[in-house]
Amino acid sequence: MESSRVVDAFSLLPGHVLQQADAVQAYFQAELQGTPTWVELPEEARPESWSTFKRPVCPLRLALYGHPDAGGYLEKHCRDAVVACGLQPIPDWPSVYFDSSSHTLLMVYVDDFKAAGPPAALDAMWERLRPRLRIGDPGPVSVFLGCTQRETQVPHPSLPLTLRVLEYDMEDFLSS
């Protein structure tokens, strides 16, 4: 949660915006590594040529949700892709990356991506990521990790300027 809030704060710098995007079928993007795992496919997913077999199995190639190591392989897959696009991991803060040349900050949480920086730089960052990760269209942050976020503007109490403020609303999450 702290990394999400840091990205939020970074987005409030002058000329910066906040965006989010979701990975498309995230667990289908990472290859399973390590100890080979075999799975039994349900009947409806079996090829017709397997109809003579009683309980056929096949090797699991993708780090599918439910496998005990799937999250780690997905995290590694995302990290490798993000670093290949020029963002640098922030030491001792897993899944948070910064690009000093474009002034963009990105956090990755499983299949959720949240980024802040100048709008043109964010557009370029998303475009660099897309050949390596299947990511949906980025847009303004609305609900992130169960929290509704709204950016508002309020007048400064004593100076003639307007402040950008992020409001967090957890009511819908708590109700559910």
Side-chain angles (χ1 to χ4, degrees), residues 18-35:
L18 183 62
Q19 295 180 347
Q20 73 181 33
D22 293 324
V24 177
Q25 295 183 327
Y27 286 97
F28 286 91
Q29 296 188 38
E31 294 282 331
L32 187 64
Q33 300 168 21
T35 304

Side-chain angles (χ1 to χ4, degrees), residues 125-141:
M125 180 201 69
W126 295 120
E127 287 308 309
R128 287 193 321 266
L129 286 173
R130 283 204 159 132
R132 292 177 169 84
L133 295 168
R134 289 188 307 277
I135 301 173
D137 292 332
V141 174

Side-chain angles (χ1 to χ4, degrees), residues 153-175:
Q153 296 190 359
V154 297
H156 189 282
S158 59
L159 297 173
L161 51 98
T162 302
L163 303 173
R164 292 171 53 211
V165 175
L166 278 177
E167 294 178 354
Y168 301 102
D169 182 353
M170 298 283 299
E171 185 175 350
D172 289 341
F173 180 75
L174 292 172
S175 295

Side-chain angles (χ1 to χ4, degrees), residues 1-139:
M1 285 308 252
E2 291 90 0
S3 59
S4 177
R5 300 301 184 251
V6 167
V7 175
D8 293 345
F10 192 71
S11 77
L12 295 173
L13 291 173
H16 287 199
V17 295
L18 183 62
Q19 295 180 347
Q20 73 181 33
D22 293 324
V24 177
Q25 295 183 327
Y27 286 97
F28 286 91
Q29 296 188 38
E31 294 282 331
L32 187 64
Q33 300 168 21
T35 304
T37 300
W38 293 76
V39 294
E40 179 181 349
L41 294 178
E43 283 188 44
E44 62 273 10
R46 296 176 192 164
E48 184 63 36
S49 62
W50 291 14
S51 62
T52 59
F53 300 110
K54 221 175 197 175
R55 294 183 65 192
V57 295
C58 62
L60 180 62
R61 291 186 317 103
L62 302 176
L64 298 182
Y65 181 79
H67 186 282
D69 297 326
Y73 291 124
L74 176 58
E75 182 180 346
K76 180 187 180 312
H77 174 72
C78 288
R79 180 180 56 245
D80 292 348
V82 169
V83 169
C85 291
L87 284 91
Q88 296 301 310
I90 295 179
D92 301 319
W93 210 342
S95 301
V96 182
Y97 307 88
F98 186 67
D99 182 351
S100 58
S101 64
S102 65
H103 215 241
T104 53
L105 183 64
L106 171 71
M107 69 151 302
V108 181
Y109 183 78
V110 186
D111 62 346
D112 296 313
F113 294 75
K114 189 179 199 181
L122 288 180
D123 291 345
M125 180 201 69
W126 295 120
E127 287 308 309
R128 287 193 321 266
L129 286 173
R130 283 204 159 132
R132 292 177 169 84
L133 295 168
R134 289 188 307 277
I135 301 173
D137 292 332

